[in-house]
Amino acid sequence: MNYIQQMAFSTLLSFTLFLCVCFASSLEAKPISSLIRKKLFDTMFLHKDDNACPAKNFYPYKAFIRAAKTFPEFGTTGSLDTRKREIAAFLAQISHETTGGWATAPDGPYAWGLCFKEEINPQSNYCDSTNKQWPCFPGKSYHGRGPIQLSWNYNYGPAGKELGFDGLRKPEIVSNNSVNAFRSALWFWMRETRGTLSCHNVMVGKYVPSEADIAANRTAGYGLVTNIINGALECGIPNDPRVNDRIGFFKRYTNLFNVDTGPNLDCAFQKPL
């Protein structure tokens, strides 16, 4: 190869690399607002602003999008289908946690998510007095609040620390501020425990099961997300109606996203976390 040919080849190679970089940049994940626009959000939550819902007007689309910016990896990780599936999974889980639906509800039971912003008739103040790292503040209750029904002092404390509010002294901020409500739910969704275990990592394929997870049949899929959120009460129970409700929301939302659900939808045969 002579000098002229070498120069031509070098120029072609540089141009090719330039094109590859530009193409890769064009494939970078776009904001989740490009995947779930307001019209789709409103279609999912047809009745959240009905008079029958105590959380009427508390969960606007803009608050969800604004909160998501706090966690830039949410809904932007992986392939297009993976990103849609994660958003659908998150919205399905918070829909179950805040549902106002019933079997014969108008538009079906899975059109009534985000109907509540606080737990109804909490059975306790959800204070774990043995947790010294996040001690309960006198007179405060750490019952379920917000889209994911954040509960217990050991969740309010670290959530507030990371998100910039005093979760132990002012837990009520989760149910009186729409953006912080969504941010608290996304904090729980993204939080890693026991290595790579998190709802986010499970849905985007980053979860690496330990030997104990494998022995407990905790395989990746939407069912494991349910296990993370409320496995102690709902998992290891075949045909549990609460798990079925979570799956029902997920199926509806993935259908609206035009994406498949993926495997392992329930946690019926998983050992609870």
Side-chain angles (χ1 to χ4, degrees):
M1 183 181 294
N2 59 36
Y3 176 75
I4 294 176
Q5 289 174 320
Q6 288 178 336
M7 290 297 294
F9 178 76
S10 178
T11 301
L12 178 61
L13 180 60
S14 297
F15 182 67
T16 301
L17 290 173
F18 172 76
L19 288 177
C20 289
V21 170
C22 291
F23 180 67
S25 297
S26 69
L27 291 178
E28 290 181 358
K30 296 180 180 179
I32 66 167
S33 57
S34 67
L35 298 181
I36 176 166
R37 301 190 183 278
K38 186 177 185 300
K39 182 178 179 180
L40 177 56
F41 187 82
D42 290 343
T43 299
M44 290 177 166
F45 301 104
L46 284 172
H47 298 284
K48 70 181 179 64
D49 295 325
D50 284 11
N51 288 329
C53 288
K56 179 182 178 181
N57 298 324
F58 183 72
Y59 294 114
Y61 170 76
K62 287 184 178 180
F64 168 62
I65 296 301
R66 182 179 168 189
K69 292 179 180 178
T70 306
F71 301 92
E73 292 186 354
F74 171 71
T76 65
T77 304
S79 68
L80 181 60
D81 281 358
T82 297
R83 289 153 54 199
K84 288 181 177 180
R85 194 177 297 112
E86 182 188 12
I87 298 170
F90 172 77
L91 295 178
Q93 290 287 353
I94 67 173
S95 292
H96 167 80
E97 294 291 334
T98 59
T99 184
W102 64 99
T104 58
D107 301 304
Y110 308 123
W112 288 78
L114 297 183
C115 203
F116 292 88
K117 62 178 182 176
E118 291 199 41
E119 181 179 353
I120 303 172
N121 299 321
Q123 301 301 303
S124 74
N125 63 359
Y126 291 85
C127 170
D128 179 1
S129 59
T130 66
N131 189 295
K132 303 304 180 183
Q133 183 179 5
W134 306 105
C136 304
F137 195 73
K140 293 298 180 178
S141 173
Y142 304 99
H143 61 267
R145 295 183 178 93
I148 213 161
Q149 294 292 280
L150 191 72
S151 304
W152 296 100
N153 50 305
Y154 51 73
N155 283 321
Y156 275 92
K161 182 178 180 180
E162 185 170 339
L163 298 174
F165 65 90
D166 193 335
L168 295 177
R169 285 179 170 80
K170 297 182 179 179
E172 58 275 1
I173 198 171
V174 174
S175 57
N176 64 22
N177 181 290
S178 299
V179 175
N180 277 335
F182 276 119
R183 289 170 77 208
S184 71
L186 286 164
W187 171 83
F188 188 92
W189 185 266
M190 302 297 294
R191 182 189 59 166
E192 292 185 358
T193 61
R194 297 173 59 244
T196 62
L197 186 66
S198 73
C199 299
H200 169 73
N201 284 346
V202 168
M203 293 307 301
V204 302
K206 291 185 177 181
Y207 160 67
V208 180
S210 65
E211 290 185 4
D213 289 326
I214 295 172
N217 197 35
R218 291 193 283 261
T219 51
Y222 184 73
L224 182 53
V225 171
T226 298
N227 201 337
I228 294 170
I229 293 174
N230 207 29
L233 296 178
E234 299 179 20
C235 294
I237 309 170
N239 201 35
D240 186 88
R242 296 162 296 184
V243 174
N244 292 340
D245 190 67
R246 295 179 190 272
I247 294 172
F249 276 110
F250 187 47
K251 286 183 175 179
R252 177 171 180 256
Y253 294 168
T254 51
N255 183 60
L256 289 171
F257 268 119
N258 194 30
V259 66
D260 65 89
T261 62
N264 305 318
L265 292 182
D266 66 47
C267 57
F269 302 103
Q270 294 182 18
K271 185 176 180 180
L273 285 162

